Each structure stands twice: as C-alpha cells, then as structure tokens.
Amino acid sequence: MPFIKIVSRRLINVRMLLRIMGWLLIVEAAFLTVPTLTCVAWGESDWLPFLLTGLGTLATGLLLALRSRPTSDYMGKRDGYLLTSMVWIVFSLFGLMPFLFCSHPISISDAFFEAMSGFTTTGASVVDTMTDLSHGVHIWRAMMQWIGGLGIILFTLAIIPMLNHAGGIQMFNAEVTGITHDKIRPRISQTAKSLWLIYIALTIVLILLLWAGPMDFFDSVCHAFGAISTGGYSSTPLGISAWDHSDYIKIVLTVFMFLGGVNFGLIFKILNGKFKAPWENEVFRTYIYIIGMALVLFVGAIVLKGAVTSWRSLTIDPLFQIVSTITSTGYTVSSFDSWGTFVLSLTFVMMMFGACAGSTSGGAKIDRILYLFKNSGNELYRCLYPRSIQSVKISGKAVNPDLVTKVIAFLCMYMLLVVAGGIALTACGVPLIDAFFSAFSCISNTGLCAGITGFGNNYDIMPDVAKWILSGLMLTGRLEIFTILVLFTPSFWRR
C-alpha cells in the first residue's frame, strides 16, 4: 500500500528510476564480456555462465530502458537515494550469478556476500579454495571492486551525459563518499568523466608497473584493480604474501593504495598545475600525519616485541600494512601476525578513521574525525568560557554548524551499527570478539578477516544468516549510512 501511494502521488519518479536502472544493467552486461572472453582465452568452461549472465543482464536492461517511458526527467532527493541503494543491490544480484553456475559453484548466500563485498570494495571473501577458481572468476572479482571503487552510478554519469539533466546531482551526492561534494567541472557529467579518467589512468600505470616486476600480466591486472579501488581481492591463495620477497611490489602497491585514499578532486587539481593544493588541504595533511605517527608506533611495537627480522620489517612492511589498513584495502604482509596486540589495536583505530573523503577508501573518513576533534576542543574551551563563540575551521574556513551536527550524528550511528551488527552476529553463534570485529571490518569496508582474532582464516565459516547481515553492513558502510537508513524513516515514504 505505501508503494502504491508513492506512485500515485508521484513522490518518486518510478518510471525514470526503472529506465536508469536499465541503462546501468546494460553497463554491467558490457563489463561481463571481459570475464567471458578471459575464460575463452584460457580455454575454461566458465565462459558459458558468464555469457548467459551477460545476456540475461543485457536483456533485462534493454527491457527496462526501452519499455519505461517517464513523463518527466525530473529526479528529486528521494529518487537519488532510492536509486542509489537499489543499484548496488541489483548489481550484486546479477553479479552473483556466475558464482552459482561456474565450475566450482558456491551457495547463494556465499555468492551474494562475495558480490556485495566486491562491489563495495570490502574485499572480504568466502572463497576458501582460491586455486580452484578460473581466470574468468578471478577477473570478475577484480572488476567488481574496480567498478565499485569510484561508484557504479558515477561511471554511468560519465558515459550518459543526459543524466546531467535527469537528477544527476542527486545520484552523485548519494553515492560519492564524503561530507560535501564539490563539482570540479561545471556539469556533473563532466565531473564524473574527469574523475573516471584519472581513475583509469592510475589503474593503467599501476598495471604496467606491477607487470614490470615479478608479477605476470594477469596477476598485475587483478592486483591493480584491487589496490587502486582499495578493494583488496587477490588472485592467489597467499594474497600479497605470494610476493613477500619483492620489495618492489610492496613499494609500488603502497604508493597506489595511498593515492586511492586521496580525494580524487585533489588529484585533479594537482594534474591541473595546482601543486600547492595538497598542503593547503588540512585533511590531506592530517592523512600524512596519521600515517607518519602510525609508522613510528608500529616500528616501536615491532622492536619491543622482538619481531625484527630484517631492515624491511622496520620500513617497507609496516608502512605497507599501515597504508593498506587506513585506506581499507585490507592486504596484509605475512609478518603481521607476529607484531603483537598493540599493533592490532592501532589497526582498529585506522579502520575507523579511513582515508580522505572523495576517495575510494572506506571508514568514517578523516574529514569527519577532524570535525569531531575540533568540535570537542571547542566544547572543552566553552567549559571554561561559556560565553565564547567558537567555530570549527577546516583549512582555515569556518564550517557550517549544521554540517558539524550531521557529522556527529553520522559517527554516532556508525558506532551504533557496529554494536547492533556485533550483537546480531552473536545471536548467529559467532564468538563475541569475532562478531564485533567482523561487523567493524565490514561496515568500514576494510575486509580484514576474523582470522586476525583467531576465529578462522576466512568468512566462509560464518553462518548463512551472518553473511547476509555482514552484506548489509558492507552496503551501509559504502553508501555512508544516511543513503540507506533514510529509506527506513517514515518521512521518506510520505509527502
């Protein structure tokens, strides 16, 4: 009944949503040709599931795009929120199909978890036999996280300019990470295109650099997609530890994971000759400071723990792990387990912080943490001088108090969701510590497995209900909470 009332009162332009959904599915069908051709090139039987999934996705997309004839192109905030949430779910539902029918099929709960983890760049996996997967499945896992890195809708805005008039700004704001969303170009489609061109260029450069080292071309593509999107899927059972002997691979990945955690609008400014922009940006400076402080603490902990094995255990390895964690990539070095619980506690903090808004990373974002600390400092000052008027300033500019309130609300809901998720997982039989760690890992889109706390080496041992709960947390974290939770408020569904 509520849905019928919404349609009749035209609160939501349903036909326009279905039409855009159709275009998006056509885009997904185009991406599915890559794993299909990969299977053909390697002579693997999984080409058929990918082909059939691609054809089914294309047919559904064409049906929705051609048969849905909206009377108006107008899209409001409700349309933007609803479409964004629907797209990520629908993409995951179509994206899971190859996992169900490939040569080593998995259950629908596992398949949805794997697809949602990929598109949200969480990198958590239920696959326990990585060597059994075909090249097509590996490249599809890598592509899912690469597509989701900057955003599914953002990609469509870049290739379908007409959406600039059809509520493009609403979809842009609902999907792109961050507190505020600045257009770097006059039109939203131009902004989307510029961001994606930077993203593609960085990916190509990373592929070539990895290929120049000990990685073969296929592994270079998979790990380039995983690093620049800060997703963290690997094409080998050992992950990055398979190249533990290569300082070159770790250094290259560290640099590009770091770039994946930088606001892409800031990278755009640098490429346009504004070289002072990073150091004028307080968020970026804080990003550097946190990494530097974490490195000092990591090195101290490693020395005190007696885990020094070589010079790289005090330089390359801890820096790689710090950047991987704060950007929510989730790659781990083989020596991480021997560094002690203090390092693990710092890992939790960095998972919470995340990197910069407007990047491909997860977490709460450094921007919001800055707002929180500065506002807390102002409140402490007002305890002594209650009549004083203090404003939160970022990069020398005063911030709207309403925005500060929104940030505080976000952080409160973020932690409440971790608690709620952890409690729900304990109800599924997951041990207490592992339940809360897994909930925290998934909502922050980091994807570090519960094996770190001793529960297991993968998420495949989680009960099916727990996997659906964690999938929901991944989506909520990727779309930064408000986009999802607003759908559950009564005011969203009435005029």
Side-chain angles (χ1 to χ4, degrees):
M1 288 298 293
F3 181 75
I4 295 174
K5 290 179 180 178
I6 291 167
V7 175
S8 62
R9 294 178 183 178
R10 299 184 183 277
L11 287 182
I12 293 177
N13 192 343
V14 177
R15 291 181 178 271
M16 191 62 194
L17 294 191
L18 293 176
R19 190 179 185 188
I20 295 175
M21 183 68 74
W23 288 330
L24 288 162
L25 286 175
I26 292 170
V27 171
E28 184 175 19
F31 279 115
L32 279 162
T33 60
V34 176
T36 304
L37 295 174
T38 301
C39 288
V40 172
W42 263 270
E44 297 166 335
S45 60
D46 283 349
W47 67 270
L48 185 58
F50 279 110
L51 177 63
L52 294 178
T53 301
L55 291 175
T57 305
L58 177 63
T60 306
L62 288 173
L63 181 65
L64 291 175
L66 299 178
R67 298 292 293 178
S68 302
R69 300 177 183 271
T71 56
S72 170
D73 287 346
Y74 173 77
M75 288 184 65
K77 288 185 177 180
R78 286 183 175 87
D79 302 295
Y81 286 128
L82 184 58
L83 177 65
T84 303
S85 302
M86 286 171 54
V87 163
W88 288 77
I89 295 171
V90 171
F91 256 57
S92 296
L93 289 173
F94 279 91
L96 66 81
M97 295 299 178
F99 297 121
L100 297 177
F101 305 108
C102 64
S103 54
H104 290 84
I106 55 179
S107 69
I108 189 168
S109 297
D110 286 353
F112 185 79
F113 182 95
E114 196 77 10
M116 183 61 74
S117 179
F119 282 119
T120 59
T121 71
T122 305
S125 180
V126 293
V127 178
D128 59 346
T129 53
M130 198 74 67
T131 53
D132 294 336
L133 299 182
S134 66
H135 288 79
V137 172
H138 276 305
I139 201 68
W140 179 233
R141 292 170 77 244
M143 287 189 67
M144 284 192 298
Q145 59 190 355
W146 188 75
I147 296 166
L150 273 187
I152 299 166
I153 289 176
L154 190 65
F155 180 81
T156 309
L157 288 171
I159 63 175
I160 305 178
M162 70 166 290
L163 292 183
N164 191 76
H165 306 288
I169 188 64
Q170 305 298 341
M171 295 183 286
F172 180 83
N173 289 336
E175 184 181 61
V176 175
T177 63
I179 309 168
T180 59
H181 306 105
D182 299 323
K183 293 194 297 181
I184 60 176
R185 301 285 294 274
R187 299 167 68 86
I188 198 66
S189 59
Q190 293 174 336
T191 296
K193 188 176 295 184
S194 296
L195 293 176
W196 263 93
L197 286 174
I198 293 170
Y199 189 57
I200 292 170
L202 288 174
T203 305
I204 293 172
V205 172
L206 179 53
I207 290 172
L208 295 175
L209 288 174
L210 292 175
W211 192 21
M215 278 191 187
D216 61 31
F217 181 73
F218 183 81
D219 287 331
S220 297
V221 172
C222 291
H223 287 90
F225 284 0
I228 200 64
S229 68
T230 65
Y233 272 156
S234 177
S235 54
T236 67
L238 296 176
I240 293 302
S241 296
W243 293 274
D244 200 47
H245 61 285
S246 175
D247 296 332
Y248 173 82
I249 292 295
K250 291 178 185 176
I251 292 171
V252 170
L253 287 175
T254 300
V255 171
F256 280 83
M257 287 189 295
F258 173 84
L259 291 175
V262 176
N263 188 321
F264 274 67
L266 192 59
I267 296 176
F268 177 84
K269 291 180 180 179
I270 296 171
L271 294 176
N272 281 271
K274 298 179 180 178
F275 301 112
K276 293 183 179 180
W279 301 110
E280 294 173 350
N281 187 295
E282 188 172 356
V283 176
F284 180 81
R285 294 200 305 270
T286 306
Y287 180 39
I288 298 290
Y289 296 153
I290 291 173
I291 292 174
M293 290 172 58
L295 181 60
V296 172
L297 293 173
F298 266 52
V299 169
I302 293 169
V303 171
L304 292 175
K305 189 68 177 179
V308 180
T309 56
S310 65
W311 65 272
R312 68 169 58 87
S313 64
L314 295 177
T315 52
I316 296 174
D317 285 357
L319 183 59
F320 177 94
Q321 193 62 51
I322 289 165
V323 174
S324 176
T325 303
I326 198 170
T327 60
S328 76
T329 308
Y331 288 140
T332 55
V333 293
S334 58
S335 56
F336 179 69
D337 293 339
S338 65
W339 292 348
T341 54
F342 177 67
V343 167
L344 183 60
S345 66
L346 293 176
T347 299
F348 292 162
V349 174
M350 290 189 292
M351 285 168 60
M352 170 66 183
F353 281 14
C356 307
S359 68
T360 62
S361 69
K365 304 297 184 297
I366 293 172
D367 309 53
R368 293 189 178 94
I369 303 301
L370 266 178
Y371 279 47
L372 176 65
F373 275 92
K374 292 201 172 189
N375 186 63
S376 299
N378 289 345
E379 291 302 322
L380 290 174
Y381 184 83
R382 275 193 283 265
C383 288
L384 298 175
Y385 305 99
R387 295 184 179 182
S388 66
I389 299 175
Q390 298 287 321
S391 61
V392 173
K393 293 184 178 181
I394 301 294
S395 299
K397 297 180 181 178
V399 176
N400 190 322
D402 291 338
L403 196 55
V404 177
T405 302
K406 184 177 180 181
V407 166
I408 294 172
F410 173 93
L411 293 172
C412 288
M413 286 190 287
Y414 190 93
M415 296 313 300
L416 285 173
L417 283 170
V418 173
V419 172
I423 292 173
L425 291 177
T426 58
C428 299
V430 180
L432 182 66
I433 295 176
D434 311 297
F436 281 90
F437 177 81
S438 298
F440 194 16
S441 181
C442 286
I443 198 170
S444 65
N445 300 130
T446 307
L448 289 175
C449 66
I452 288 179
T453 60
F455 182 48
N457 293 324
N458 220 328
Y459 284 89
D460 63 305
I461 56 178
M462 289 281 184
D464 284 347
V465 176
K467 292 170 186 173
W468 288 96
I469 292 170
L470 291 173
S471 297
L473 289 174
M474 292 178 206
L475 178 63
T476 306
R478 172 59 182 82
L479 297 182
E480 302 215 310
I481 298 178
F482 289 122
T483 300
I484 296 295
L485 294 190
V486 72
L487 303 181
F488 295 93
T489 60
S491 56
F492 183 88
W493 302 103
R494 62 170 179 255
R495 188 178 296 278

